[in-house]
Amino acid sequence: LDKHSELKGEIDALKTQNQAYLTLKELKVAKANADEILKKSIEDILREIENELNTKMKDINDSLFSTPREPPHIHFNKHDSYKFETPDDTGTGSNFKGMIVYDLAVLLCTALLALAHDSLLFKNLEKDIEDGLIKIYDITNKKVFIAYDKQGDYRAETRERIERNARIILSTDGCELYGMSWNKEENKTNEDELQQT
């Protein structure tokens, strides 16, 4: 009876271990399947986002030119990797235009409420592209903030759009953002005096 009881205990222990092994194997298969489904879902979502952005960028790009030109293009390799370029055009102006067009596509395709662009982005753009971008900024129902420092270079229609939409106009001699220029030597002296007191 003791031997029988001992063997029965070993058999029960082996059955439990075997069941645990089979359960672990099933869980590993289930996890692999879930990982594959997640990976496929992420790829599908990224393709959908990619297609929507590329379509919008083409629409925006086409509105900037009288003859068709290559629009910027984004391709998501994985959830953490992408390639963004304007095919066959690696010039500085094209790169800045591409970035602005991408930003606008994201703004217009998402719930994003606002966009901000610095004057640096406009310096290498052709006049027609610049005019077209300002027109898009003007007609969108979302908020677009730009810093623009080429007032004398505006074409009449673009100048009118910018002046109509301007909220802050900065210049020298007391018309700086805080009423004075922070990079003048006299301001540094005043700061030193304030720190010493």
Side-chain angles (χ1 to χ4, degrees):
L1 281 175
D2 287 342
K3 187 68 173 167
H4 179 268
S5 179
E6 184 183 322
L7 288 173
K8 184 173 181 341
E10 285 181 25
I11 290 171
D12 289 344
L14 289 171
K15 280 183 180 177
T16 302
Q17 288 176 357
N18 192 34
Q19 187 59 43
Y21 171 76
L22 293 174
T23 301
L24 178 63
K25 195 172 176 183
E26 288 173 9
L27 289 174
K28 284 182 178 179
V29 169
K31 182 185 180 301
N33 289 340
D35 287 346
E36 189 58 36
I37 290 169
L38 176 62
K39 181 181 173 193
K40 179 72 173 122
S41 295
I42 290 172
E43 287 173 359
D44 291 345
I45 291 167
L46 289 176
R47 290 298 149 259
E48 187 179 319
I49 293 169
E50 182 180 299
N51 289 335
E52 186 174 357
L53 287 175
N54 286 330
T55 299
K56 183 57 78 175
M57 286 192 293
K58 181 172 179 7
D59 292 345
I60 293 168
N61 196 74
D62 287 351
S63 75
L64 300 175
F65 299 101
S66 54
T67 58
R69 293 203 195 167
E70 286 284 345
H73 183 268
I74 191 160
H75 174 69
F76 295 105
N77 302 317
K78 293 189 274 183
H79 70 280
D80 61 351
S81 172
Y82 68 91
K83 181 178 182 182
F84 181 75
E85 67 177 345
T86 299
D88 302 321
D89 192 350
T90 58
T92 304
S94 180
N95 288 337
F96 282 116
K97 183 228 9 144
M99 184 169 52
I100 294 170
V101 168
Y102 171 79
D103 288 348
L104 279 167
V106 170
L107 177 72
L108 298 173
C109 290
T110 66
L112 206 67
L113 298 175
L115 172 70
H117 282 149
D118 189 41
S119 59
L120 172 69
L121 299 177
F122 298 96
K123 293 195 184 304
N124 293 299
L125 299 180
E126 298 172 22
K127 287 281 184 218
D128 291 339
I129 295 171
E130 188 177 63
D131 294 341
L133 290 170
I134 299 297
K135 185 177 182 179
I136 293 169
Y137 291 156
D138 186 30
I139 62 175
T140 182
N141 59 352
K142 297 192 177 188
K143 300 294 181 206
V144 177
F145 302 93
I146 64 169
Y148 201 84
D149 60 5
K150 297 189 327 183
Q151 291 84 350
D153 293 343
Y154 297 142
R155 288 182 177 165
E157 185 179 338
T158 299
R159 182 181 312 116
E160 186 276 323
R161 286 181 197 280
I162 289 176
E163 288 173 356
R164 180 171 26 90
N165 290 294
R167 295 300 176 255
I168 298 174
I169 299 174
L170 304 175
S171 63
T172 57
D173 299 325
C175 293
E176 294 86 359
L177 185 58
Y178 295 101
M180 61 187 227
S181 178
W182 295 95
N183 65 349
K184 289 184 179 176
E185 189 65 37
E186 62 212 40
N187 293 335
K188 290 181 182 177
T189 304
N190 291 341
E191 281 182 26
D192 291 341
E193 290 172 5
L194 288 174
Q195 288 176 357
Q196 290 174 0
T197 57

